[in-house]
Amino acid sequence: MEVRECAPIFENLPKAISATTPETMEKYNQGHGCILYRTTIPPGLTATLEAASVHDFGFVFLDGERIGVMDRRSGIFKVQLPERKKSATLDILVKAVGHVNFGQEVHDRKGIHAPVKLAGRELTGWEIFNLPLDDKMLGTLKFRAVKTNGPSFWRAVVNIETPGDTFLDMSS
């Protein structure tokens, strides 16, 4: 198998939805897949970024570089952001991994549960990008040969001479 192409998520975003504060996926007519929350943060010293909660995983990027992960399973909703000499783009890419269908959390809303605060101050002025991972969205991806380290969709060609049970080892 040879992986030859990728479609970087940050280069394949749909039209943005503007919001004062981030809301759950369902507020944006989405209940599965991924959603990207973006805002600009000012220059400043090292500081803690904190969300009330994130369902289920929130991958935090600063100017395209991954800084940390918020994880519902572990109850980790804080990430240390490094010092910034200038304003920076903050992206939180949230991946939903299934819905609780019983008990107290039966209304399992995905995405960011606000507020989102930086150094104790609520962040406002967000752009929201729906990434439902459905056929329509995936059909619009623009792949390229150049590889990237950022979040991306990857395309590979697999030639199978003799069909049989198999798996894709993602450990490395």
Side-chain angles (χ1 to χ4, degrees):
M1 176 174 77
E2 187 175 345
V3 179
R4 297 183 186 164
E5 298 176 298
C6 71
I9 288 177
F10 296 148
E11 294 175 18
N12 282 277
L13 296 174
K15 184 178 176 184
I17 300 166
S18 296
T20 302
T21 58
E23 300 213 41
T24 62
M25 282 184 178
E26 290 77 9
K27 292 286 185 174
Y28 304 109
N29 297 317
Q30 184 179 332
H32 61 277
C34 297
I35 191 165
L36 180 71
Y37 300 88
R38 174 176 282 171
T39 192
T40 301
I41 59 173
L45 300 173
T46 299
T48 301
L49 176 73
E50 180 177 7
S53 69
V54 174
H55 293 195
D56 294 303
F57 294 96
F59 300 90
V60 179
F61 297 86
L62 200 56
D63 286 337
E65 181 181 335
R66 191 168 112 181
I67 303 299
V69 180
M70 296 180 179
D71 179 351
R72 178 184 186 182
R73 295 170 312 158
S74 303
I76 298 171
F77 304 119
K78 294 180 183 181
V79 171
Q80 283 297 117
L81 297 187
E83 180 177 359
R84 299 156 318 281
K85 301 288 185 195
K86 59 181 183 156
S87 295
T89 299
L90 172 69
D91 288 308
I92 304 174
L93 177 62
V94 178
K95 170 67 179 132
V97 294
H99 290 269
V100 175
N101 65 354
F102 61 90
Q104 186 175 4
E105 293 188 30
V106 72
H107 299 290
D108 185 15
R109 304 293 182 240
K110 299 301 180 180
I112 289 180
H113 294 248
V116 178
K117 296 180 180 181
L118 180 61
R121 292 186 175 201
E122 186 171 1
L123 295 175
T124 58
W126 292 84
E127 290 181 300
I128 315 302
F129 301 90
N130 288 56
L131 302 166
L133 307 183
D134 58 11
D135 289 342
K136 181 179 177 185
M137 187 224 114
L138 295 173
T140 65
L141 294 176
K142 294 174 186 74
F143 285 86
R144 58 185 171 98
V146 179
K147 296 184 179 181
T148 180
N149 289 328
S152 302
F153 295 94
W154 296 85
R155 186 158 52 192
V157 175
V158 179
N159 294 313
I160 300 173
E161 293 178 20
T162 307
D165 291 339
T166 189
F167 68 96
L168 183 61
D169 182 358
M170 301 291 288
S171 63
S172 63

